[in-house]
Amino acid sequence: MNEKRVEEMIERTARREKWLDVLPLTDTRLQLRANLIDTSVALDNSSDVEVIHNLRIEATVSVPGLEILEIQGFADQQPYGECAFTAAKVGELKGLTLKRGYRREVLAILGGTRGCSHFLTLALDLSATHVLSIYLRTREMVENTPSNREDGTWTRKGLQVEPQLIDACFALRADSPVQSRAKSD
């Protein structure tokens, strides 16, 4: 068997870019825009770019409950004609809440052959809205500065927005220095 070295065989790169924009509409609603773009570029010609997937999800969610009030999938580029049917499936996420249990519900709706793995990825990424909305609401009350983080002001205000930040992660565990500073005045 005549095997080629990997460097000789692969003539292209592949890249996935994803992002989530969280835009305040009112004090009780957020607009979400999640994007996923997969591309491939020839190693010997950087202008030879192939778009594999170009998908987005747009949604409106309530604050602070994070219920999906409106949601729609858009496919600007997918590899197969049959893929076009998967954008509409995203609409079935309407009514879900971007908190505990969201992942399980999304997998039940969009997982496997019920949907598109790329829309599934984007839909799962919407759960980051919880953290980002806490940041935006906390930032309305206080600046996110090194001194406010160090003296506990930032965390104290964050706990007013979302009391369940206690034990949310390593830095915010109940017995952490961050929580100790937040408790002191």
Side-chain angles (χ1 to χ4, degrees):
M1 187 160 125
N2 187 7
E3 292 184 2
K4 293 183 179 181
R5 289 191 355 224
V6 170
E7 296 85 25
E8 295 172 339
M9 192 173 75
I10 298 174
E11 299 173 355
R12 304 185 69 81
T13 64
R15 166 181 272 178
R16 170 164 288 178
E17 296 179 65
K18 295 189 312 177
W19 63 94
L20 171 65
D21 292 323
V22 178
L23 311 156
L25 294 175
T26 69
D27 60 344
T28 61
R29 292 182 189 249
L30 299 171
Q31 174 73 43
L32 310 181
R33 292 187 192 127
N35 294 72
L36 178 149
I37 299 175
D38 289 336
T39 55
S40 177
V41 179
L43 291 174
D44 63 350
N45 181 358
S46 62
S47 64
D48 179 1
V49 178
E50 296 174 358
V51 177
I52 306 163
H53 298 99
N54 185 355
L55 309 173
R56 76 182 181 283
I57 293 177
E58 294 183 6
T60 303
V61 299
S62 66
V63 176
L66 299 180
E67 178 186 350
I68 299 173
L69 304 173
E70 298 173 26
I71 189 163
Q72 192 171 0
F74 299 90
D76 295 324
Q77 176 68 39
Q78 289 178 298
Y80 304 106
E82 292 82 2
C83 295
F85 298 109
T86 63
K89 191 82 173 153
V90 173
E92 294 181 27
L93 302 177
K94 182 177 179 178
L96 298 185
T97 302
L98 299 172
K99 291 188 178 180
R100 183 165 289 187
Y102 175 74
R103 177 181 174 76
R104 182 180 6 82
E105 292 173 318
V106 170
L107 287 169
I109 294 169
L110 297 179
T113 58
R114 293 177 296 280
C116 164
S117 63
H118 310 297
F119 273 127
L120 174 65
T121 296
L122 278 179
L124 291 172
D125 285 350
L126 295 180
S127 65
T129 300
H130 190 199
V131 170
L132 297 174
S133 71
I134 292 169
Y135 176 88
L136 291 173
R137 290 181 288 148
T138 303
R139 183 62 179 80
E140 284 293 313
M141 296 188 296
V142 64
E143 287 188 49
N144 181 11
T145 63
S147 63
N148 282 342
R149 288 190 306 276
E150 188 58 35
D151 72 11
T153 301
W154 177 257
T155 305
R156 200 167 24 262
K157 295 296 184 183
L159 287 166
Q160 289 174 8
V161 169
E162 179 55 79
Q164 292 189 10
L165 283 178
I166 296 175
D167 286 332
C169 66
F170 178 79
L172 295 175
R173 66 191 190 282
D175 64 347
S176 73
V178 171
Q179 294 291 1
S180 295
R181 291 190 299 267
K183 292 174 188 169
S184 67
D185 285 324

